Amino acid sequence: MWEAFGIENEDILWSCIAFNGGIAGHQTAPCGAVSAATVCTGLLHRWPLADKKRANQERLEARQDASQLVRSFLEKFGNITCSGLVNLDFSQPAVYRQFQESGIWKDKCNKYVEFVIEKLYEFHDKRSARRPPLKVLLYTKPGCPFCAQARLDLEERGVSYEEITIDGNPEALKEVMKLSNGEGIVPILVMGEDVKVGFGGG
């Protein structure tokens, strides 16, 4: 899922790394594919917390999507726990080794992963269709190396943005002074209600 969604932050991968065999082999826990998918559901709905009203709405919708994911998984496979899905007892190390070596997981577990990824794409497409595009502004000034880094970062991530230079632009300078608490620091990145002052030491 981490690869499918192109999430560059490796912390996300590591936060879900123990979701195998339930949770680290404790099979009474949900299937690891479902657990990891619910984490991704939250990520699909992330919104700057400064925008409390919208963040609360996104939190509610994330829970609704996660609930729908679980219901759909149960309807498709008849169970949600690892033990119920593979019918093997992983509390015995030899059984887990046999499971890995047999290749059964390629037939069983891969189907579960593929199913939840398809559901996540459905949620993503549904959300994209109704979510207004997030307005992104980047305040810069000529010759600023940190501004160049911020610009490159946005472009590498495929983020559409409007660049506003403060050079010869009194209104933009006034806004930068306001956003940076009078310090006049650039770059400043504004994504909806979220404001980030400086970039990489700028």
Side-chain angles (χ1 to χ4, degrees):
M1 278 176 275
W2 179 69
E3 292 175 349
F5 277 87
I7 300 171
E8 295 180 0
N9 186 344
E10 292 185 2
D11 290 345
I12 304 303
L13 171 66
W14 287 104
S15 70
C16 300
I17 207 72
F19 292 149
N20 64 327
I23 296 179
H26 293 274
Q27 293 174 282
T28 54
C31 168
V34 176
S35 297
T38 57
V39 172
C40 290
T41 300
L43 291 173
L44 285 174
H45 285 275
R46 64 186 180 273
W47 194 264
L49 294 177
D51 185 352
K52 291 182 180 180
K53 183 177 179 181
R54 182 60 184 268
N56 285 336
Q57 179 63 30
E58 293 293 342
R59 186 180 298 118
L60 175 63
E61 292 180 11
R63 289 175 59 86
Q64 291 171 343
D65 282 353
S67 178
Q68 183 183 336
L69 173 75
V70 171
R71 286 196 308 271
S72 299
F73 193 93
L74 280 168
E75 289 171 7
K76 176 77 172 177
F77 300 109
N79 210 309
I80 194 174
T81 65
C82 180
S83 58
L85 291 164
V86 299
N87 296 314
L88 292 171
D89 182 6
F90 288 169
S91 65
Q92 302 175 44
V95 174
Y96 186 60
R97 281 197 302 273
Q98 289 172 6
F99 175 73
Q100 289 181 307
E101 292 168 0
S102 69
I104 295 174
W105 58 271
K106 291 181 181 178
D107 178 51
K108 286 182 172 282
C109 300
N110 281 0
K111 287 181 181 177
Y112 309 144
V113 172
E114 289 169 3
F115 178 82
V116 298
I117 287 176
E118 287 177 7
K119 296 303 293 184
L120 287 170
Y121 276 122
E122 286 178 22
F123 296 153
H124 178 271
D125 292 344
K126 176 187 72 174
R127 186 166 185 267
S128 296
R130 61 175 172 71
R131 178 182 180 182
L134 189 65
K135 188 173 184 180
V136 179
L137 303 176
L138 180 65
Y139 290 91
T140 64
K141 67 180 179 183
C144 167
F146 300 113
C147 298
Q149 290 176 27
R151 193 181 301 115
L152 180 62
D153 176 68
L154 290 171
E155 290 169 359
E156 287 180 345
R157 291 190 286 136
V159 177
S160 298
Y161 66 96
E162 177 185 350
E163 183 172 354
I164 303 173
T165 179
I166 62 173
D167 190 39
N169 188 337
E171 287 301 314
L173 178 58
K174 182 179 177 181
E175 185 66 14
V176 163
M177 295 300 287
K178 176 183 172 184
L179 293 171
S180 64
N181 294 318
E183 295 185 27
I185 296 172
V186 289
I188 294 180
L189 179 64
V190 181
M191 302 182 75
E193 299 294 323
D194 192 32
V195 177
K196 182 178 180 182
V197 179
F199 185 90

